[in-house]
Amino acid sequence: MSITNNILEVNNLLFKWRKTNNFKLKINKLAIKKKKRVILLGASGSGKSTLLNLISGILEPNKGIIKINDTCITALSSKQKDLFRTENLGVIFQQFNIIEYLSPITNILLPCYFSLFKNKKISFYRERAADLGKKLGIEKDVLFQKKAKNLSVGQQQRIAIIRALINFPKIILADEPTSALDYKNKEKFLNLLFDMCEQENISIFMVSHDNLITKYFDDVLLLEKINEAS
Amino acid sequence: MIIHLAIKSLLNRKLTIALTIISLMLSISLFLSIDTLRLGAKKSFFGNVKSGDLILGSRSGEIQLLLYSLFQIGSPTNNISWESYKDFAEHSEVSWTIPISLGDSHKQFRVLGTNNQYFRYFNYRNKKQLEFENGEKLNDMFDVVIGSDVAKTLNYRLNDSIVIAHGISSQSLHDEFPFKVKGILKKTGTSTDRLVIVSLEALEIIHKDWKTGSRIPSVKKTNIELEKEDLKPKEITAAIIKIKSPIKIFKIQREINDYEKESLQAVIPGIALSKLWEIVSITENIMLSITTMVIVSSLIGLIAILYSTLSNRRKEMALLRIVGASPKNIFSLLLMEALIISICSIVASILLTQLLSIIVFPILDQKFGIYLEYKFISIKDFYFLMVVLFTSVVVSIFPALQAYKNSINDGI
Ligand SMILES: Nc1ncnc2c1ncn2[C@@H]1O[C@H](COP(=O)(O)OP(=O)(O)O)[C@@H](O)[C@H]1O
Ligand SMILES: [Mg+2]
């Protein structure tokens, strides 16, 4: 396998919803270099989330190749994709980042449960969670409280960052994580996320319709431009 | 992990889930209780007929004779003469007989005239013999043995005095002839518990001054000298007959039915009762189908709950997918939730029915004479519960499949 400098590569991608829906995603080439922070801007409904779902292997493209860290995920079986996702991708959403009835720590460890802890002990991941928590300003008693219901939005988002990082991913996919935050909190959130990713050598691929935050990124892409079907 | 998720998610919806469990629990318990009740009623019904092979009586409806002579239910039958009875009691193929004479009452209880054969041979359910709680069988002329319900209800003890009323309405009393409680029987769970048992001879005496329902004023107790009177009964109501060899039962039955001196009939209790039970079992089946429908509706409730939460939980499922859950995991999560709900319901219904049986059985016994033996779940109940469990899981496949389908395309 040829070792490239790209953490993510999309080639000749074509995606259509199976139902009668005019939406089409056609991307000839999209590449993200290792350790880079890239933001993809697009209006709402332009297919940003759909693209992230394709990259994470939830959706299957009609045509094309998606490579993550030199693994061609479009060639994997759906079972392999599920495992690949937990082991290599961290994901942060705009909303609904936590399952309220689970404890914060269980929320964080969810990817580890599905990757069966990769032969490490659960205590290893608990310590890592506590460690990451300390860096992000989440106290241990917050982390290990019974239910995540009572967490503030800021705490929820930091829990989401810890969960995205817990399994040592190669890249973090983020779907408009800042659109619910005011300007000050956006900056705070992005700084935290970037700090952590820098420490752990993780690339970031964020999609958003918010062009006020582009200055924090190494690269800015426009979906309208790269989607040839639009 | 899936189990942990399922439990936590169910706990998160405590109220709706608890209501679902309660609804399932109640319907399962209803089914179990009705089944227990049905079997109990059947048992206490058939339990009375274990003693003899044939019931000898006058020609009337089979079922009428049976109900009247064994359960004291229904309308009285004609009497048969003592001579006819003797003919068969002394028959070479007959092992033993129990004569039965009915007609009088004491308070709300029936008086049964018989002899000590009754205590010796009458048995019920699994060859259980009558036993005395207190005292013993009839010895003197005016001794009486009472069933346990009689003793309990009327608060009688040994040596208490009892006056028997003529007929079933207790207006006119045989008050010149007080009886003395000689024995109190142990509880049997059969109609024997509600009997006041006297000797045939005593019945004969107290009716000396009676002629078909009205008292002859001239004849008073003082006029009768017990020893001199012919105490041989003239008539009895029926007799339980035990045949020496079972293969001769039909032969003797035919002999009785063909008896020339008097029109008699012999009923094989088991067969007659089965016929009766067939009629009863229609209601029984209706009851069972109603409870089955109640269970079905609770199961529909269960799927409704699972379906209704699906749309609310779509985001939750999508999150699970993103962190690595496969559609199969989502499917098993929902199935697991259904499984936990039905297991909880089943365990709860077992507890409830056990509790009910401890509380309700004695009440049923006292108030309705339905005696139910305490038991933990029977094999049949166990199969039934397994069927419920299986069905609930099978029906939950539909919402689980829906979740599976949703989760294939649901991600970020
Ligand atoms: N599950 C789905 N089934 C069919 N069409 C969908 C589905 N999800 C999104 N779409 C369609 O795909 C298009 C892109 O949606 P999306 O990727 O959510 O856009 P964005 O994230 O940029 O707002 C929209 O036209 C939307 O209607
Ligand atoms: Mg979106």
Side-chain angles (χ1 to χ4, degrees):
Chain A
M1 198 183 275
S2 70
I3 303 296
T4 62
N5 219 8
N6 291 336
I7 186 74
L8 173 71
E9 260 184 67
V10 177
N11 286 312
N12 295 320
L13 182 82
L14 178 68
F15 176 79
K16 271 186 271 183
W17 288 105
R18 212 160 288 157
K19 294 162 211 157
T20 50
N21 192 327
N22 287 330
F23 179 80
K24 236 200 240 174
L25 202 58
K26 189 167 184 296
I27 296 172
N28 252 345
K29 186 149 184 70
L30 169 69
I32 293 172
K33 291 213 162 60
K34 280 182 181 155
K35 297 186 207 172
K36 290 287 184 219
R37 305 191 285 246
V38 178
I39 185 163
L40 177 72
L41 288 177
S44 96
S46 59
K48 303 183 295 292
S49 302
T50 306
L51 177 61
L52 287 188
N53 277 325
L54 284 161
I55 293 170
S56 62
I58 299 264
L59 293 175
E60 186 105 15
N62 301 71
K63 247 169 64 183
I65 289 169
I66 297 169
K67 274 188 187 171
I68 295 169
N69 201 25
D70 293 321
T71 304
C72 183
I73 63 148
T74 39
L76 298 177
S77 73
S78 61
K79 207 173 161 187
Q80 287 169 320
K81 273 184 213 165
D82 292 332
L83 188 62
F84 185 85
R85 189 162 60 244
T86 57
E87 291 181 344
N88 296 280
L89 297 177
V91 177
I92 298 169
F93 305 80
Q94 172 185 355
Q95 287 168 326
F96 208 87
N97 267 304
I98 55 156
I99 296 177
E100 286 189 339
Y101 57 79
L102 297 175
S103 65
I105 185 68
T106 311
N107 265 290
I108 289 169
L109 295 181
L110 279 174
C112 312
Y113 286 112
F114 287 105
S115 63
L116 304 172
F117 295 100
K118 287 193 242 168
N119 303 327
K120 287 196 186 86
K121 284 212 175 102
I122 185 166
S123 55
F124 170 82
Y125 288 98
R126 282 168 165 273
E127 265 165 43
R128 173 161 165 82
D131 208 37
L132 291 169
K134 205 195 264 168
K135 287 179 188 163
L136 288 172
I138 296 272
E139 303 284 328
K140 257 194 171 173
D141 53 336
V142 174
L143 211 54
F144 290 94
Q145 76 192 44
K146 244 179 133 197
K147 275 188 187 160
K149 228 177 230 168
N150 314 323
L151 296 177
S152 70
V153 181
Q155 284 172 324
Q156 287 189 12
Q157 229 147 8
R158 277 175 284 176
I159 296 288
I161 295 176
I162 303 174
R163 184 188 55 222
L165 294 168
I166 191 83
N167 231 356
F168 304 97
K170 312 294 180 303
I171 182 167
I172 283 184
L173 305 177
D175 191 356
E176 311 198 37
T178 56
S179 37
L181 304 175
D182 57 37
Y183 185 76
K184 225 174 168 184
N185 282 314
K186 270 177 202 169
E187 191 168 36
K188 216 164 140 191
F189 170 81
L190 290 175
N191 282 333
L192 281 175
L193 180 64
F194 292 167
D195 261 9
M196 297 310 295
C197 290
E198 211 158 293
Q199 287 177 33
E200 309 237 340
N201 292 327
I202 301 171
S203 327
I204 295 175
F205 183 49
M206 187 177 289
V207 301
S208 182
H209 64 259
D210 181 0
N211 45 23
L212 293 175
I213 54 172
T214 52
K215 59 181 175 199
Y216 301 96
F217 290 83
D218 302 324
D219 246 336
V220 180
L221 302 173
L222 298 174
L223 187 54
E224 273 77 12
K225 275 200 181 141
I226 61 168
N227 183 8
E228 285 159 28
S230 69
Chain B
M1 186 57 204
I2 298 291
I3 295 180
H4 179 82
L5 279 178
I7 292 172
K8 282 283 162 65
S9 132
L10 291 176
L11 285 177
N12 188 43
R13 292 170 285 152
K14 273 190 210 99
L15 188 66
T16 35
I17 298 304
L19 289 175
T20 315
I21 291 179
I22 288 171
S23 135
L24 257 175
M25 170 191 80
L26 288 179
S27 56
I28 295 170
S29 308
L30 187 67
F31 187 96
L32 287 180
S33 319
I34 285 188
D35 203 45
T36 314
L37 213 63
R38 182 179 69 103
L39 290 176
K42 199 171 178 173
K43 248 190 181 169
S44 29
F45 217 51
F46 281 82
N48 277 26
V49 299
K50 291 282 161 65
S51 308
D53 298 321
L54 290 172
I55 307 289
L56 168 69
S58 75
R59 207 162 273 170
S60 53
E62 280 192 350
I63 289 173
Q64 191 197 345
L65 173 61
L66 191 82
L67 288 182
Y68 188 62
S69 56
L70 285 185
F71 304 103
Q72 295 81 52
I73 301 171
S75 46
T77 56
N78 288 328
N79 283 349
I80 59 171
S81 72
W82 182 253
E83 279 69 33
S84 309
Y85 162 68
K86 268 292 167 201
D87 268 0
F88 289 102
E90 284 154 12
H91 193 289
S92 60
E93 306 277 8
V94 170
S95 154
W96 51 257
T97 59
I98 302 173
I100 289 171
S101 192
L102 291 160
D104 285 350
S105 63
H106 173 70
K107 306 265 160 76
Q108 68 267 48
F109 299 107
R110 298 298 189 107
V111 170
L112 175 94
T114 183
N115 53 27
N116 279 325
Q117 296 272 74
Y118 189 83
F119 306 109
R120 187 151 162 226
Y121 291 118
F122 187 86
N123 53 54
Y124 61 100
R125 245 166 275 146
N126 299 317
K127 297 249 149 61
K128 277 197 209 153
Q129 297 261 306
L130 291 177
E131 282 178 78
F132 285 89
E133 183 77 52
N134 271 313
E136 53 172 343
K137 57 190 183 184
L138 307 168
N139 280 333
D140 288 341
M141 181 64 68
F142 292 107
D143 280 349
V144 62
V145 170
I146 56 178
S148 73
D149 286 355
V150 181
K152 220 186 239 167
T153 315
L154 302 177
N155 214 356
Y156 283 159
R157 313 227 176 140
L158 286 187
N159 300 324
D160 278 358
S161 210
I162 284 184
V163 169
I164 286 170
H166 187 75
I168 303 167
S169 66
S170 44
Q171 301 291 342
S172 34
L173 301 172
H174 293 293
D175 45 10
E176 317 90 313
F177 301 102
F179 283 78
K180 205 173 77 187
V181 176
K182 185 67 192 260
I184 297 171
L185 291 171
K186 271 194 184 154
K187 179 106 198 152
T188 64
T190 68
S191 54
T192 305
D193 295 340
R194 306 174 60 78
L195 284 180
V196 172
I197 301 165
V198 299
S199 69
L200 287 172
E201 290 78 12
L203 276 187
E204 194 60 30
I205 290 177
I206 63 173
H207 287 102
K208 278 285 172 204
D209 57 346
W210 287 75
K211 267 230 164 88
T212 51
S214 58
R215 183 175 288 201
I216 306 161
S218 60
V219 191
K220 286 277 167 210
K221 185 187 177 186
T222 44
N223 302 353
I224 304 166
E225 288 178 46
L226 293 182
E227 277 73 24
K228 284 184 195 162
E229 289 288 341
D230 181 12
L231 293 180
K232 200 179 73 181
K234 301 201 171 40
E235 292 182 331
I236 58 170
T237 308
I240 302 171
I241 298 180
K242 180 77 182 177
I243 314 290
K244 280 177 189 157
S245 147
I247 50 168
K248 294 282 164 60
I249 292 175
F250 291 101
K251 181 178 168 271
I252 308 290
Q253 186 186 24
R254 221 173 310 120
E255 269 180 47
I256 292 173
N257 288 342
D258 296 344
Y259 191 66
E260 283 183 353
K261 289 179 217 161
E262 194 178 353
S263 67
L264 299 177
Q265 85 170 331
V267 176
I268 300 175
I271 295 177
L273 261 192
S274 303
K275 277 188 202 160
L276 178 64
W277 198 259
E278 268 169 36
I279 304 166
V280 177
S281 64
I282 296 172
T283 1
E284 178 190 29
N285 288 338
I286 291 173
M287 289 251 271
L288 280 186
S289 13
I290 290 173
T291 39
T292 312
M293 280 188 264
V294 172
I295 292 175
V296 168
S297 70
S298 313
L299 285 178
I300 292 173
L302 168 69
I303 334 177
I305 286 287
L306 292 178
Y307 263 120
S308 71
T309 53
L310 278 190
S311 51
N312 295 340
R313 299 178 68 193
R314 227 170 144 152
K315 288 238 167 92
E316 174 192 332
M317 302 296 182
L319 176 59
L320 288 174
R321 282 281 283 139
I322 282 292
V323 297
S326 62
K328 267 186 209 154
N329 291 146
I330 302 292
F331 178 82
S332 21
L333 174 65
L334 265 134
L335 224 51
M336 186 64 70
E337 288 179 7
L339 192 68
I340 292 173
I341 290 177
S342 52
I343 287 178
C344 285
S345 317
I346 285 171
V347 171
S349 63
I350 290 173
L351 292 178
L352 182 67
T353 46
Q354 292 302 305
L355 194 72
L356 276 181
S357 64
I358 293 168
I359 297 169
V360 175
F361 280 13
I363 298 174
L364 277 180
D365 183 20
Q366 272 172 8
K367 293 262 155 78
F368 303 101
I370 298 174
Y371 178 76
L372 301 169
E373 262 171 301
Y374 175 81
K375 62 173 173 55
F376 196 63
I377 42 172
S378 65
I379 301 274
K380 222 179 115 221
D381 292 348
F382 179 76
Y383 285 146
F384 163 72
L385 293 176
M386 286 301 109
V387 168
V388 171
L389 188 66
F390 182 74
T391 319
S392 64
V393 171
V394 167
V395 295
S396 309
I397 285 180
F398 297 103
L401 220 54
Q402 185 62 47
Y404 177 93
K405 274 191 206 150
N406 289 348
S407 69
I408 288 178
N409 281 343
D410 276 1
I412 293 165

